[in-house]
Amino acid sequence: MTRSLPITAPAAEESPPAGPVESRSRRRSRRVTAHPVAGALFVLPFFLVVVAFLIVPLGYAFWLSLSSKSLATGVRFSGFDNYVRAFTDPLLLDGLLRVVLFGLVQIPIMLGIALAGALVLDAVTTKFALAFRLIAFMPYAVPAVVGALMWGFLYSRTFGPFADLPTLVGGDPIDFFSVSLLLVSLGNIVTWAWTGYNMIILYSALQGVPREMYEAAVIDGATPVQIALRVKVPAIKQAISLAAIFTVIGTMQFFTEPAIMARFAPQISAGYTPNLYAYNQAFAYSDFHYSAALSFALGFLVFVVAYAFVFVNRRRGGRK
């Protein structure tokens, strides 16, 4: 006698319990979902700082530029009248022309010295190069006010060491604050302060140029001067353009040096440079509305000049 085994239906396949892999996948999914919120929380402090210290002040200054104030009418909305006044103001236009002429002379000289210094540093690999790099960069670390005061004392005819040098050979003392030499004196201060900064930028760009290019030029019989002018300078053309853009923007904002030198040179008027003119309109004449319009007009001009420089530079680069 045989006993038949009970026939039982196959058990339905049950879904396996969530393993560690699936659990990790779910946790990763939750983290991915939470990332946008976490990213927004990280960005929020920076966004609040930008709004509080950039957007709101700019908006308030722009509102000031669109209004005027007088004893008779008080503060009233005047539209773009302040801007029309700014672009037809002879004092502002004279200062703007003076800064443009200053930049046309000073910028090529400063960038030329910076480029020559960077090429020398790249060619010399002794300990002297390290010391020279540090010394050249030191003027940039000196605050602009301190540097201008220092040069003001050096230029002085009373106790400066340079003014009486021509008398040693029977000449007349030099007046560095005269009308004919004032821009040269200011240009010397700016060149002293910013040449090292631009030189370090160009030197850093030279360090990124492949050394194989130099070796190939040497094999072709190029001299060190030819390697510098025909290999290194074209290779760092973008860095030179960047330094030039920064210098153009800085020149259009020329303020600290003439403001400090006004203590020594009375011929530096309230409108000697556009930035100095805007500053004096606000804090010497209490015309904050017109000063705000001048500031926005200058910002617009700086943007136009910088964009025109980049546009021309790209066009010239595209043709090559």
Side-chain angles (χ1 to χ4, degrees), residues 166-202:
T167 60
L168 298 177
V169 292
D172 297 327
I174 302 175
D175 185 3
F176 291 101
F177 302 122
S178 63
V179 176
S180 58
L181 287 181
L182 185 55
L183 273 182
V184 178
S185 302
L186 292 171
N188 177 59
I189 300 174
V190 176
T191 303
W192 171 82
W194 290 95
T195 298
Y197 172 80
N198 289 297
M199 187 184 69
I200 295 301
I201 290 179
L202 301 181

